Amino acid sequence: MKTLAVIGLQFGDEGKGKIVDYIARYFDIVARYQGGANAGHTVKIGDSIYKFHLIPSGILNHKISVLGNGMVIDPLELQDEINMLKGFNPKKYLKISERAHVVMPYHKELDRNIEELKGSEKVGTTGMGIGPAYEDKYARIGIRIIDLLDKDLLKKKIEIALRIRGRYLNSQYDPVKLAEEYHKLGLNFKKNIIDTSDYINRSLKSGKTILFEGAQGTHLDVDFGMYPYVTSSNTSAAGILTGIGTKPCHVRKIIGVMKAYTTRVGEGPFPTELRNDIGNKILTKGNEYGTTTGRPRRVGWLDLVLVKYAIDLSGVSEIAISKIDILSGMDEVKVAHAYKINGKTTKNLPVKIEDLQKAEPVYKTFKGWEYPTNGKKNIPDEMMKYLNFIEKYTETRISIISLGAKREDTVLLKRI
Ligand code: IMO
Ligand code: MG
């Protein structure tokens, strides 16, 4: 297999980083194609914990790590991550697209100010400036990575952006100082800035293998997610083509990652949300706190209506399930397989937020299980029934399950 893509099937935080960390060993290159430092992957190796926001976690396997043109990159954050990865020689492995957009400090302020203006309608963003950076890209006033290398050009571009965006900003930004600071940051990674699309296409031609690493989840996709409670990029497989710059035929196989239950950070509909003791139990046991913001995640039962939609949208052929161990020790475990909306039962995901908010999940209930049993790490029958139900409903095979936080707790069920 020349390429494989890993995408999220829910609202992000499905455990993509962990799965990528697990399969990266089979690939030469790991490439991210969208999003920015709103993403957060935590990878635990032995007793060490690594928190990633921008750099693909494949770098821990000493793989070439590409930040594609579809990303919005905060150079301050990138510098922090390079520092965190000192032991892994990140400069050797990092390739940054010259076409990727830059998150500037005023994007972060705009992110906060726009949320404030929205009041109770706020999205609950990560505050990392993602929306405003993508807005500037499409408004044709964005700063690209390549611009960081030319101080005068950078200053001119910052001036234009501030002229247009200034009315929504409270702070004063000095284009000269900003250009100096960001030019300096850019020079730090000058050697890593390349035409990543050309690099990837040439690598594929020469027989190298590539893993495309998605950030966020399908239901945060700006086109197919629960708009407006979404992020500002295409998180589904569709984002790979524009975010990497490769041929459609290079995106063949897609693994969808899902948690054994559902979590969501930020606002927006969540039909299976559990605002009770069971939800709190999963929150605590699963340590469901955002990697980027530290916010407690909203927690609920698995929602297969959402998962199936994501699988069909992107053409997912394999599922990886994470955190199934967290559900052990419960009296019962539920899975939503349809919604009741205005008295009608449907398996289709409604497009209107108002309908999603009204949707009552229709559940199938499973008996709880213990794991591990008597210290033995065999999959208990009840857990197997749960997994079988997911496979049958989604018409997609489960090839990886993760039974714990550590690298060695990930199990390959079937050859991918
Ligand atoms: P990973 O890659 C979970 C959510 C935010 C908010 C919405 C928009 O770890 O799966 P943004 O800052 O992107 O404008 O916020 O999207 N969000 C995520 N939720 N995991 C993520 O990334 C997320 N990235 C953004 O909470 O609801
Ligand atoms: Mg995350």
Side-chain angles (χ1 to χ4, degrees):
M1 192 190 336
K2 291 190 83 169
T3 68
L4 178 69
V6 174
I7 66 161
L9 300 177
Q10 294 156 317
F11 297 107
D13 301 322
E14 296 93 346
K16 299 174 294 292
K18 190 158 186 291
I19 302 299
V20 167
D21 170 64
Y22 182 70
I23 51 180
R25 69 186 93 167
Y26 305 113
F27 293 86
D28 300 309
I29 298 166
V30 186
R32 253 191 78 178
Y33 53 90
Q34 42 72 232
N38 49 347
H41 297 338
T42 309
V43 181
K44 214 169 164 185
I45 301 174
D47 290 328
S48 304
I49 294 176
Y50 298 91
K51 291 193 177 189
F52 292 92
H53 300 289
L54 289 168
I55 301 178
S57 48
I59 202 156
L60 296 176
N61 289 286
H62 305 285
K63 300 295 173 176
I64 298 284
S65 295
V66 174
L67 305 188
N69 62 279
M71 290 184 69
V72 286
I73 299 170
D74 181 342
L76 294 168
E77 180 58 42
L78 183 58
Q79 189 62 59
D80 281 353
E81 269 174 59
I82 289 175
N83 296 344
M84 169 188 84
L85 290 165
K86 263 205 300 273
F88 290 85
N89 197 2
K91 288 248 172 123
K92 181 175 162 197
Y93 297 103
L94 202 57
K95 310 268 180 213
I96 306 163
S97 169
E98 52 198 13
R99 288 187 166 87
H101 277 249
V102 179
V103 175
M104 299 295 289
Y106 49 83
H107 290 136
K108 289 193 230 175
E109 187 189 335
L110 283 166
D111 199 347
R112 290 192 299 274
N113 294 352
I114 291 166
E115 285 279 272
E116 210 175 293
L117 285 169
K118 282 187 158 181
S120 62
E121 302 293 310
K122 73 175 195 288
V123 175
T125 70
T126 58
M128 302 306 279
I130 306 300
Y134 278 115
E135 275 180 64
D136 279 7
K137 170 177 172 173
Y138 288 101
R140 293 156 293 179
I141 54 169
I143 314 279
R144 297 194 297 175
I145 289 285
I146 191 82
D147 303 329
L148 296 179
L149 303 180
D150 180 337
K151 195 163 56 178
D152 293 333
L153 180 72
L154 180 59
K155 181 179 136 273
K156 205 171 107 192
K157 293 207 166 183
I158 293 172
E159 277 168 353
I160 295 169
L162 287 173
R163 204 181 308 146
I164 293 160
R165 301 292 242 156
R167 71 188 66 181
Y168 300 103
L169 293 164
N170 306 319
S171 314
Q172 289 295 322
Y173 295 89
D174 177 350
V176 177
K177 276 199 184 140
L178 266 186
E180 257 164 32
E181 186 190 348
Y182 278 71
H183 174 59
K184 233 184 188 166
L185 280 166
L187 290 182
N188 281 346
F189 357 100
K190 187 176 175 188
K191 285 198 185 129
N192 303 82
I193 299 173
I194 62 160
D195 180 345
T196 48
S197 162
D198 176 61
Y199 173 76
I200 287 205
N201 291 324
R202 271 190 300 111
S203 301
L204 281 168
K205 231 180 187 166
S206 71
K208 294 247 164 44
T209 54
I210 304 187
L211 183 60
F212 299 117
E213 173 176 334
Q216 288 88 42
T218 302
H219 296 282
L220 294 174
D221 186 292
V222 67
D223 281 277
F224 299 102
M226 295 183 183
Y227 193 90
Y229 299 99
V230 293
T231 189
S232 300
S233 64
N234 284 118
T235 58
S236 58
I240 302 171
L241 295 185
T242 52
I244 291 285
T246 195
K247 291 190 263 191
C249 66
H250 285 155
V251 188
R252 279 248 177 95
K253 194 154 195 146
I254 298 161
I255 293 198
V257 187
M258 55 180 276
K259 226 174 242 184
Y261 45 96
T262 313
T263 61
R264 172 163 208 169
V265 206
E267 308 300 319
F270 187 168
T272 60
E273 184 166 14
L274 290 166
R275 293 191 208 176
N276 55 21
D277 285 352
I278 301 173
N280 287 333
K281 203 170 148 189
I282 300 175
L283 172 93
T284 311
K285 196 167 173 204
N287 191 23
E288 294 295 350
Y289 295 90
T291 309
T292 304
T293 56
R295 288 180 286 183
R297 294 175 183 141
R298 296 159 66 195
V299 172
W301 294 123
L302 178 59
D303 184 339
L304 285 179
V305 178
L306 294 184
V307 168
K308 178 79 168 110
Y309 176 89
I311 285 175
D312 291 343
L313 176 69
S314 289
V316 166
S317 57
E318 316 269 334
I319 296 175
I321 298 196
S322 67
K323 287 193 147 177
I324 189 141
D325 54 309
I326 303 301
L327 292 181
S328 57
M330 319 266 302
D331 294 333
E332 51 182 31
V333 177
K334 293 187 183 189
V335 181
H337 55 89
Y339 297 142
K340 220 172 184 174
I341 303 169
N342 298 330
K344 278 197 190 135
T345 304
T346 176
K347 283 184 186 305
N348 295 330
L349 187 67
V351 67
K352 275 176 74 182
I353 293 297
E354 292 72 17
D355 287 341
L356 277 161
Q357 269 152 351
K358 273 190 269 179
E360 289 170 49
V362 182
Y363 286 116
K364 178 172 169 65
T365 304
F366 292 80
K367 240 174 78 191
W369 59 78
E370 291 298 331
Y371 175 84
T373 321
N374 306 325
K376 285 209 187 94
K377 290 194 166 180
N378 294 334
I379 295 178
D381 284 350
E382 293 301 331
M383 193 201 279
M384 207 59 207
K385 279 186 196 152
Y386 189 70
L387 295 173
N388 288 340
F389 184 74
I390 295 170
E391 276 198 331
K392 200 159 167 218
Y393 186 95
T394 59
E395 298 170 283
T396 311
R397 66 180 189 162
I398 299 169
S399 45
I400 299 175
I401 57 172
S402 163
L403 291 154
K406 292 193 177 147
R407 205 184 233 177
E408 43 284 17
D409 296 326
T410 302
V411 182
L412 194 64
L413 289 183
K414 288 166 192 159
R415 246 186 84 78
I416 298 160

